[in-house]
Amino acid sequence: MAVKSPNLMSTIVNLCKRRGFIFQSSEIYGGLNSCWDYGPLGVELKRNVKESWWRSMVTHRRNIVGLDSSILMHPKIWEASGHLSGFSDPLVDCKKCKERFRADHLESLEKCPKCSGELTDIRKFNLMFKTFMGPVEDNTSTVYLRPETAQGIFVNFLNVQQSARLKPPFGIAQIGKSFRNEITPGNFIYRTREFEQMEMEFFVPPEEDQKWYEYWSQARFQWYIDHGIKRENLRLRDHESDELAHYAKACVDVEFLFPFGWSELEGIANRTDYDLKQHSEFSGKSLAYFDEESKQHYFPYVIEPAAGADRTTLAFLVDAYDVEGEGKNKRTILRLHPSLSPIKAAVLPLVKRDGMPEMAEKIYDELLDDSIKSFYDHSSSIGRRYARQDEIGTPYCITVDSQSLEDQTVTLRERDSREQYRIAASSVSEILKQKMKDALK
Ligand code: ATP
């Protein structure tokens, strides 16, 4: 089992670059701090993370629907939500080395942790990115890049509720980019200034808030375990009252044991009726829900599980990373859950002759036709080809050998157990689909 050391982060960053998961943004220009690009394998992995979230939050639920709202929104939204006045971090600078820090991340404010120089007083620093809409750059044209996707959901609350004819408890889910001008981004894709969120606002009768808060805390914790994260590397941590965001009555974080320590993956917050009431007041349009049964209007309470697609992707990579053997026999295995693996199956002819490539290519095409993302590889020894697939987390390898040509069977090799057995060539796709389905049970 790989030991979680701080070096693990640099090992993962290197693996991600070498195998095409994640590259530094604008690399040929020297890079842009905290910005990252997802390569061919990374984009598949992150899409799988988002699709697994969507499946479990929307597709498989009777009472949750989706939304895709715009990133730029009316600037008054950020006044109403409290982000203009309250969405700030405490910033201090070192007078000597000019380094900037988030004051709440420092153990002491007496001196600079890097050079021991004197620190400035704390200033509030608003995290929202500003830009201008239209050709004139003045105060009346200022707009903000959204710092959370949630507000797009709140302002559409009645549009969605009425058009989809929903009755609390019900949820609206959204996946999309958010932007925060973080003072100290870092730890690879853990904290960046541009990132993707996966948020769901669950609207409930006010008296049911505690019940649903507990339900979603457990459900979201379980989602990580169901997708392969080891239980011992996950924990739920309640926020202290002085940590709570301005809108929250209670909040619990799902934390993961990263190589740099326990850190937040997702927050589940009880946002009360704060946002719906604020938008009703600031827009002059009531967002109260009309209950047909009691013939009364009321503001539902909101339970919000808010996760980050990039952080979650990093956690899955870290948790899956494993090394077996020593010296020449050392091999890296990404033990990703099959539903998350960028490539589900590799199709490998044992040698490049005797009709094996033709048979393998036929199987490869069938898998692609069945939407099973696969990879065809005929170069180098079979052992090296298996090792290359283990390193990127491919759960299954299909090998075509001389027996395949005689009896139309192939070898199926499983990544984690390294077990190998023969199956009918005609049933490869069905068997892989069933295995991936079983892995989610
Ligand atoms: P943190 O305390 O780490 O700054 P937060 O509590 O402000 O995070 P939320 O506002 O609860 O974060 O956002 C929900 C989720 O969005 C987080 O749990 C995280 O997964 C993701 N997220 C927030 N900020 C960032 C960021 N700068 N980079 C990547 N993901 C982020």
Side-chain angles (χ1 to χ4, degrees):
M1 194 73 312
V3 180
K4 260 199 194 163
S5 72
N7 291 342
L8 181 55
M9 275 307 282
S10 56
T11 308
I12 293 212
V13 174
N14 288 339
L15 171 70
C16 283
K17 177 173 159 95
R18 189 164 43 79
R19 298 305 311 267
F21 280 90
I22 299 166
F23 310 119
Q24 189 177 22
S25 160
S26 323
E27 193 185 76
I28 59 168
Y29 286 97
L32 182 64
N33 188 15
S34 106
C35 296
W36 301 94
D37 298 339
Y38 288 78
L41 294 180
V43 76
E44 295 290 342
L45 173 60
K46 189 158 104 159
R47 277 175 69 105
N48 290 338
V49 168
K50 290 186 285 183
E51 277 165 20
S52 295
W53 185 90
W54 193 265
R55 258 199 313 277
S56 105
M57 299 300 271
V58 182
T59 318
H60 288 180
R61 304 252 175 197
R62 292 175 181 211
N63 58 354
I64 303 183
V65 294
L67 180 76
D68 186 2
S69 69
S70 68
I71 288 174
L72 301 176
M73 293 192 277
H74 197 291
K76 262 207 137 167
I77 286 177
W78 307 112
E79 237 177 272
S81 68
H83 283 83
L84 257 184
S85 56
F87 194 58
S88 47
D89 279 341
L91 168 71
V92 289
D93 295 90
C94 171
K95 291 184 182 169
K96 197 165 144 205
C97 72
K98 309 292 178 213
E99 190 78 28
R100 299 218 141 120
F101 304 96
R102 246 176 85 168
D104 57 334
H105 283 178
L106 294 183
E107 272 178 19
S108 147
L109 291 172
E110 306 242 304
K111 56 181 189 226
C112 169
K114 288 229 164 126
C115 74
S116 300
E118 195 188 338
L119 295 173
T120 60
D121 288 338
I122 297 176
R123 315 195 288 291
K124 287 268 183 193
F125 173 75
N126 194 294
L127 298 181
M128 281 200 292
F129 276 95
K130 260 190 218 173
T131 186
F132 300 99
M133 190 111 144
V136 186
E137 297 192 2
D138 64 15
N139 284 345
T140 56
S141 60
T142 303
V143 288
Y144 301 91
L145 302 189
R146 67 180 177 199
E148 60 174 26
T149 62
Q151 297 304 325
I153 297 180
F154 295 129
V155 296
N156 276 298
F157 169 68
L158 282 188
N159 282 339
V160 176
Q161 182 269 318
Q162 288 167 356
S163 59
R165 300 172 57 224
L166 295 160
K167 191 170 171 292
F170 75 88
I172 307 176
Q174 164 152 245
I175 297 180
K177 289 255 172 159
S178 292
F179 302 81
R180 296 182 188 176
N181 201 358
E182 299 275 1
I183 297 171
T184 44
N187 286 325
F188 196 26
I189 53 171
Y190 179 80
R191 186 180 301 284
T192 50
R193 295 191 170 116
E194 170 183 345
F195 53 95
E196 253 180 307
Q197 289 189 305
M198 309 186 287
E199 297 196 295
M200 195 275 289
E201 309 303 316
F202 200 66
F203 300 92
V204 305
E207 64 281 6
E208 293 181 14
D209 66 337
Q210 188 57 25
K211 171 177 119 185
W212 289 110
Y213 176 67
E214 284 163 22
Y215 170 82
W216 283 112
S217 307
Q218 289 310 319
R220 292 303 307 148
F221 187 80
Q222 190 59 37
W223 181 82
Y224 292 96
I225 292 173
D226 291 346
H227 291 81
I229 300 238
K230 294 172 207 77
R231 187 176 279 273
E232 67 266 27
N233 292 335
L234 271 185
R235 70 179 188 194
L236 281 169
R237 188 185 66 82
D238 286 313
H239 276 214
E240 304 290 336
S241 53
D242 60 352
E243 268 183 277
L244 288 175
H246 60 275
Y247 48 74
K249 175 175 158 189
C251 188
V252 59
D253 285 344
V254 180
E255 293 190 335
F256 175 73
L257 185 56
F258 283 98
F260 44 87
W262 285 101
S263 307
E264 171 180 343
L265 275 185
E266 164 162 1
I268 297 103
N270 180 347
R271 291 184 81 131
T272 70
D273 53 7
Y274 176 84
D275 300 272
L276 291 180
K277 278 191 171 158
Q278 287 289 104
H279 288 305
S280 298
E281 190 188 322
F282 278 70
S283 68
K285 309 229 165 51
S286 175
L287 292 177
Y289 165 77
F290 181 68
D291 183 45
E292 294 284 350
E293 274 161 41
S294 65
K295 303 285 177 220
Q296 303 232 321
H297 279 95
Y298 74 87
F299 286 100
Y301 267 39
V302 175
I303 308 302
E304 172 196 73
D310 311 86
R311 265 185 205 186
T312 304
T313 298
L314 181 60
F316 282 122
L317 279 169
V318 167
D319 206 66
Y321 184 85
D322 197 6
V323 177
E324 266 187 13
E326 305 251 327
K328 254 179 40 199
N329 295 324
K330 190 168 155 184
R331 64 178 198 135
T332 300
I333 312 168
L334 272 190
R335 298 192 189 277
L336 288 168
H337 189 280
S339 65
L340 302 179
S341 295
I343 307 284
K344 311 298 181 196
V347 187
L348 318 168
L350 189 63
V351 289
K352 261 193 273 183
R353 56 184 152 73
D354 303 336
M356 290 180 215
E358 290 77 5
M359 185 173 174
E361 291 220 34
K362 190 163 164 271
I363 295 171
Y364 177 46
D365 282 337
E366 279 165 11
L367 292 177
L368 295 185
D369 275 353
D370 273 352
S371 304
I372 299 175
K373 184 73 187 153
S374 306
F375 184 76
Y376 177 84
D377 187 5
H378 61 204
S379 59
S380 72
S381 76
I382 192 74
R384 285 178 79 174
R385 281 183 274 166
Y386 285 150
R388 284 205 290 262
Q389 294 306 317
D390 287 342
E391 197 185 31
I392 60 168
T394 307
Y396 311 109
C397 287
I398 306 295
T399 308
V400 174
D401 56 17
S402 50
Q403 191 183 330
S404 308
L405 304 165
E406 285 161 23
D407 66 3
Q408 300 297 307
T409 63
V410 293
T411 301
L412 190 153
R413 172 190 181 268
E414 305 219 7
R415 176 196 67 204
D416 292 339
S417 61
R418 286 205 248 179
E419 206 187 324
Q420 299 192 18
Y421 44 90
R422 297 198 79 86
I423 58 170
S426 58
S427 62
V428 171
S429 177
E430 281 319 302
I431 289 176
L432 294 189
K433 274 194 218 152
Q434 190 58 47
K435 282 191 168 295
M436 286 187 279
K437 206 169 164 192
D438 291 347
L440 274 171
K441 278 182 187 153

